[in-house]
Amino acid sequence: MIFKTISKKDFNKFLEILIENNNFFAPQKIAKDKNKKPIYDLREIKNIGDIDFNYDIIKYPPRRFFLPYREVISSFKIENNTWEQNIGYETKVPRVLLGLHPCDINSLNKLDKVLLLGDYPSPYYAIRRKNTFIIGMDCEPKPFCFCRSVGTHTVQHGCDLFLIEIGDSYFMEIFSNIAFDFLKKVKTKDTTKADDDEYKRIRKLKTEKFSAKVDVTDLTKILDMEFQSDVWKEWGDRCLGCGSCARVCPTCYCYGIEEKIDLKFQNAGKLKILHACTLVDFAEVAGGFNFRPEKHIRLKYRYYHKHRGFVEAYEESLCVGCGRCGQACLAGITVPEVISSIRE
Ligand code: SF4
Ligand code: SF4
C-alpha cells in the first residue's frame, strides 16, 4: 500500500483534470427529507463547485452504476425469415465516482464475488467495473450504521484511491496503478510520522463512535436453529412486502428477465430488471404457482440469503451494515432489531 498526502487545493486541481476527461459523478444535495435534513446522491458534475463535500450519506447506493435497475441485455432485429442479435456494453467514456464510503466500496467487493468471480460472470457488470475509477472518502458513523459489526467500516481493496481528511489536506491510500499514475499530474507528499499519527487518531475516534451494533457471532448456526421460529411470523406481520429494502440495498442483485417483441414481429428485446425478494411475485413461476406466497417467508429468506447462504458460499455476509434498508422501511424493520430478536 502506498500512502501520500495532498493539500485540498491540489486535490481540487486533480479533480478538475478528472472532470475534463471523464463522466464524473460526485455527491450533490438533491432534496430535503421530512425533517428538512438534506438528502445527497451521486450526480453527474461538470464543475468542481457543484460538488458538496459536506454530504453525510449517499441516499442511493452505487450499485446502480454497475447493475442498473433496468437494462436491455440484447435486442433483436427480425427480417426476411432471419434475425440479427445486438449485444451492447457501455464502454464509451471512462467514469469516475467520487465520495463512496467504505460500506459502499465493500458492497462492490461482495458483488464482484458473484458477478465477476462467480461461476457465471456478467460481462455487463465486468466492463462497467473496469471502466470506473473510484475515489472513496471516509465518513462519520450515523446512529443506524452497523458496518463495524460486519467488518466493512474500512477499505482493503475495491477502489482506486481512498481519502481521509486531515486538516487542510487529505491522507490518501493509493490502491491502483492508475491512481498512482494520475496523481503524478499534481503535487503530493510522502506521509510523515505526524500524518500517520493523525490517521491513527482519526481511525480510533471513528471506531468509538458506532452506536448501532449487530452480534454476528455464530449467526449462521443460530439462523439454522431458528428457521421455524415464530419471530419470523411477527416480523412478517409488520412487513408491507413493498420491496423498498431491496431497492436501496447496495448488495441486492436478484433479477428477472422480460422478453418483448413489437406487434409487427420486427424488433425484440431481452430486458433485465432487478427484483426484490420481499415482493409478492418474487417466487412466482410458470403456471402462476408461487412457492413463497407469505410475507414472513419472503422476509425470512431475505435474511437467510444475506446472513446465512452467502456466508456459507463466500465466508462473509452479504450485508455491509449501511442501515439503508431500515431507514427506507415504512414498517420500521431494521437489521439490528431482527437479528437481535432471533438471538433471544
Ligand atoms: S443494512 Fe440493509 S441495505 Fe445495508 S447492506 Fe445490509 S441489508 Fe442491505
Ligand atoms: S422495506 Fe420493510 S416493509 Fe418493505 S418489504 Fe422491506 S422489510 Fe418489508
Side-chain angles (χ1 to χ4, degrees), residues 52-280:
D52 198 329
F53 286 99
N54 294 320
Y55 74 105
D56 50 8
I57 61 159
I58 295 164
K59 176 84 176 169
Y60 303 105
R63 177 191 64 168
R64 69 187 191 275
F65 290 97
F66 307 92
L67 202 57
Y69 174 66
R70 176 187 288 264
E71 66 180 318
V72 176
I73 52 175
S74 64
S75 57
F76 303 86
K77 198 156 184 56
I78 307 155
E79 248 174 1
N80 305 327
N81 289 335
T82 182
W83 53 274
E84 195 181 289
Q85 184 182 25
N86 181 25
I87 299 176
Y89 305 137
E90 291 169 35
T91 55
K92 292 154 211 150
V93 186
R95 187 167 57 182
V96 177
L97 303 183
L98 169 74
L100 269 57
H101 287 162
C103 63
D104 281 340
I105 294 168
N106 282 301
S107 75
L108 296 175
N109 291 337
K110 289 177 192 288
L111 290 177
D112 287 353
K113 296 209 160 149
V114 180
L115 301 168
L116 279 186
L117 309 168
D119 290 339
Y120 303 100
S122 160
Y124 301 83
Y125 178 87
I127 200 79
R128 290 175 193 143
R129 194 76 166 100
K130 193 165 174 240
N131 199 36
T132 307
F133 184 84
I134 296 177
I135 307 174
M137 294 186 103
D138 205 21
C139 51
E140 283 275 308
K142 302 282 162 299
F144 50 83
C145 300
F146 58 95
C147 51
R148 191 184 168 209
S149 302
V150 285
T152 57
H153 59 310
T154 63
V155 171
Q156 308 299 331
H157 65 105
C159 62
D160 295 276
L161 197 59
F162 192 80
L163 307 176
I164 293 153
E165 192 177 6
I166 47 168
D168 287 336
S169 301
Y170 290 111
F171 187 104
M172 295 191 292
E173 299 174 24
I174 303 172
F175 286 94
S176 73
N177 294 345
I178 304 175
F180 186 77
D181 287 341
F182 274 175
L183 282 164
K184 288 178 183 160
K185 295 176 198 275
V186 286
K187 199 168 137 203
T188 60
K189 287 187 192 160
D190 290 337
T191 51
T192 62
K193 168 86 172 66
D195 295 327
D196 293 349
D197 288 347
E198 183 60 359
Y199 171 92
K200 285 187 260 179
R201 188 189 71 79
I202 290 169
R203 301 303 298 168
K204 184 167 179 287
L205 212 62
K206 175 175 175 177
T207 305
E208 289 165 359
K209 279 186 185 164
F210 284 96
S211 52
K213 287 188 182 73
V214 170
D215 183 359
V216 293
T217 322
D218 285 333
L219 185 55
T220 51
K221 296 173 200 166
I222 290 164
L223 285 169
D224 278 352
M225 290 169 196
E226 299 300 331
F227 191 72
Q228 302 294 355
S229 167
D230 287 341
V231 172
W232 294 115
K233 184 83 182 61
E234 286 162 28
W235 288 112
D237 285 345
R238 275 171 67 171
C239 176
L240 306 166
C242 65
S244 303
C245 44
R247 188 79 181 88
V248 297
C249 179
T251 63
C252 280
Y253 57 86
C254 293
Y255 64 90
I257 296 285
E258 274 182 23
E259 282 162 345
K260 292 193 187 275
I261 187 158
D262 69 9
L263 290 175
K264 291 183 178 167
F265 292 101
Q266 286 178 339
N267 296 291
K270 208 182 260 285
L271 205 63
K272 178 178 170 184
I273 303 169
L274 291 191
H275 216 315
C277 51
T278 50
L279 292 178
V280 67

Side-chain angles (χ1 to χ4, degrees), residues 146 245 248-251 302 306 318-326 335:
F146 58 95
C245 44
V248 297
C249 179
T251 63
R302 175 169 180 77
K306 297 274 182 205
L318 185 58
C319 173
V320 292
C322 68
R324 284 188 181 98
C325 54
V335 176

Side-chain angles (χ1 to χ4, degrees), residues 14-54:
F14 177 59
L15 293 186
E16 273 163 12
I17 298 168
L18 293 179
I19 290 172
E20 204 176 303
N21 300 307
N22 301 278
N23 286 336
F24 188 96
F25 294 81
Q28 251 194 350
K29 208 178 287 173
I30 55 158
K32 286 188 179 164
D33 68 10
K34 61 178 189 297
N35 300 316
K36 307 259 182 289
K37 282 184 65 194
I39 297 174
Y40 301 93
D41 194 22
L42 291 180
R43 291 291 151 99
E44 186 156 14
I45 299 285
K46 298 284 182 203
N47 297 302
I48 195 163
D50 295 336
I51 303 173
D52 198 329
F53 286 99
N54 294 320

